[in-house]
């Protein structure tokens, strides 16, 4: 479920997906889709570290209190969202660099991957692949204590093996 409401939620999601702008959803939906496919509960919110810092902290604290297991944070440009979330919690924060208008997301990537020592964020690839992999990584973390999820993840990997085996290169004309 993707929402941008400020009202209190009924239950904290297992995974909270945050992004700096609603414009980031095109990329962030790929991680959400992985969570949905694996049956992991998530909530996606557009809350900015610099535009709405209080709302961000409020939401993060609600998630922590409610039992959320990890955060996925996507942002573009001077992308400090993941770092700010990591400053508020010891839960794992998975960072997705959003492609930016002028620097193609290199600015976002460096902002995330160059976190100073002591407050880590796990940074993924720029864009759709990074978003999907952040979702899959969250699944992998949850699968460590959830055998059903671990079995699903193994099946997901096995499917990729079968796809590679079945793939054929085109004949020369
Ligand atoms: C960041 O600034 C957002 O994460 C977004 O990627 C970028 C641009 O925001 P918009 O101007 O598209 O809202 O905060």
């Amino acid at each position: 479920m993707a929402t941008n409401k400020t009202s209190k939620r009924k239950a904290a999601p297992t995974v909270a997906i945050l992004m700096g702008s609603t414009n980031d959803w095109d990329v962030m939906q790929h991680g959400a889709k992985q969570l949905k496919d694996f049956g992991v509960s998530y909530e996606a919110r557009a809350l900015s570290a610099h535009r709405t810092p209080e709302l961000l902290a409020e939401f993060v604290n609600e998630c922590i209190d409610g039992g959320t297991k990890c955060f996925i944070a996507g942002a573009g440009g001077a992308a400090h969202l993941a770092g700010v979330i990591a400053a508020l919690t010891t839960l794992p924060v998975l960072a997705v660099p959003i492609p930016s208008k002028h620097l193609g997301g290199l600015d976002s990537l460096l902002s995330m991957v160059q976190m100073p020592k002591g407050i880590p964020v796990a940074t993924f690839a720029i864009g759709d692949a990074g978003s999907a992999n952040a979702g899959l990584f969250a699944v992998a973390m949850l699968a460590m204590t959830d055998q059903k999820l671990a079995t699903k993840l193994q099946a997901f990997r096995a499917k990729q093996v079968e796809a590679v085996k079945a793939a054929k290169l085109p004949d020369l004309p």
Side-chain angles (χ1 to χ4, degrees):
M1 173 185 55
T3 65
N4 205 23
K5 293 182 196 138
T6 50
S7 58
K8 295 264 182 226
R9 288 158 295 107
K10 279 185 188 141
T14 303
V15 178
I17 302 177
L18 287 152
M19 63 212 80
S21 166
T22 53
N23 292 325
D24 299 336
W25 177 240
D26 274 355
V27 171
M28 296 310 290
Q29 65 176 311
H30 295 279
K33 173 142 186 0
Q34 297 297 336
L35 296 172
K36 188 177 177 193
D37 289 351
F38 277 94
V40 172
S41 87
Y42 73 91
E43 183 169 344
R45 295 281 296 265
L47 290 171
S48 163
H50 54 277
R51 292 170 176 138
T52 57
E54 290 91 359
L55 281 178
L56 173 66
E58 191 184 314
F59 179 74
V60 169
N61 285 325
E62 280 175 17
C63 287
I64 296 165
D65 292 347
T68 290
K69 302 291 188 207
C70 71
F71 292 87
I72 297 177
H80 37 247
L81 180 64
V84 168
I85 296 169
L88 294 168
T89 181
T90 53
L91 290 169
V93 179
L94 317 184
V96 180
I98 300 292
S100 54
K101 189 174 172 189
H102 298 292
L103 295 172
L106 185 59
D107 43 357
S108 325
L109 172 68
L110 294 178
S111 300
M112 290 170 160
V113 83
Q114 286 295 89
M115 274 298 288
K117 183 180 177 183
I119 310 290
V121 302
T123 304
F124 290 80
I126 297 169
D128 297 356
S131 175
N133 278 345
L136 288 170
F137 199 89
V139 169
M141 287 194 295
L142 296 166
M144 287 192 290
T145 53
D146 182 334
Q147 189 50 50
K148 267 190 180 169
L149 208 50
T151 305
K152 274 190 194 175
L153 192 52
Q154 279 157 5
F156 175 82
R157 290 289 188 92
K159 219 170 140 188
Q160 292 183 63
V161 173
E162 292 313 312
V164 172
K165 279 188 189 168
K168 286 191 172 51
L169 294 171
D171 289 330
L172 287 173

